[in-house]
Amino acid sequence: MTDVHPTFPAPDHDHARCAAEALLRAEQTCLRRGQNFTPIRRQVLQALLGSHRPLGAYEIIEQLAAQIARPAPITVYRALEFLMQNGLVHRIESRNAFLACAHRHDECGNVAFLICERCGSVGELVIGTLAANLKESARLAGFAATMTVIEITGICSNCQTQAQT
């Protein structure tokens, strides 16, 4: 049995509280690791927390440009890399986009992404056991896996409910 826990924002989701908790977690993570949570890193994370949908780097730049001076793309990519390395942001490979992580797993936390084809929201499945099995299968096939990304597209429960009404 895998440790599967799907998560999508509920229709009554308190987004302000969710974003505040994620920022606090980011601050605590950086403090615990002795890393600097710079203003640009915070601003990039806040831009991603503004939605439960993945954003591309240039969408993030446009959001930041509306609030502060337009950052250079390399600055945003470096901030994203830092946030990914610390388990605060995920990259959605198929969309070349990034998503703030709302869960408390480390940077090695294995997740699968559930991508809604209708609303674009993304949920996470914690798949530690499944990922370990895949990595072991790859090893037995003589392959040294370094990264496992699983993306599943479909229709989220919120959109399914809306379609039924």
Side-chain angles (χ1 to χ4, degrees):
M1 181 78 178
T2 59
D3 45 343
V4 178
H5 309 287
T7 55
F8 280 94
D12 61 347
H13 174 71
D14 183 350
H15 191 69
R17 193 190 89 218
C18 170
E21 288 174 358
L23 277 174
L24 179 61
R25 184 171 58 87
E27 291 168 353
Q28 291 170 343
T29 297
C30 290
L31 184 63
R32 186 176 64 251
R33 295 177 179 175
Q35 296 173 327
N36 193 4
F37 192 45
T38 64
I40 190 65
R41 291 170 178 169
R42 174 184 295 277
Q43 292 159 347
V44 168
L45 183 57
Q46 285 174 313
L48 289 168
L49 288 167
S51 169
H52 282 285
R53 289 173 180 78
L55 298 176
Y58 284 89
E59 291 173 294
I60 295 168
I61 290 169
E62 290 305 314
Q63 283 192 15
L64 295 180
Q67 301 166 7
I68 60 172
R70 180 179 300 278
I74 190 68
T75 302
V76 171
Y77 279 110
R78 285 182 182 148
L80 287 166
E81 182 67 29
F82 173 87
L83 295 168
M84 285 188 302
Q85 288 173 350
N86 284 282
L88 304 169
V89 166
H90 295 296
R91 181 163 186 242
I92 308 297
E93 299 288 331
S94 65
R95 307 252 151 110
N96 193 23
F98 303 88
L99 178 73
C101 179
H103 302 92
R104 295 185 174 273
H105 54 75
D106 63 20
E107 65 276 7
C108 298
N110 292 300
V111 296
F113 300 106
L114 303 173
I115 304 168
C116 182
E117 296 169 344
R118 290 194 183 149
C119 70
S121 64
V122 176
E124 293 182 19
L125 292 176
V126 178
I127 56 160
T129 305
L130 176 61
N133 290 342
L134 288 171
K135 191 171 186 176
E136 177 61 12
S137 294
R139 187 191 67 75
L140 292 172
F143 187 79
T146 57
M147 180 173 70
T148 302
V149 177
I150 299 173
E151 297 180 15
I152 304 167
T153 59
I155 309 300
C156 74
S157 58
N158 295 335
C159 289
Q160 290 176 48
T161 301
Q162 289 175 358
Q164 294 172 358
T165 56

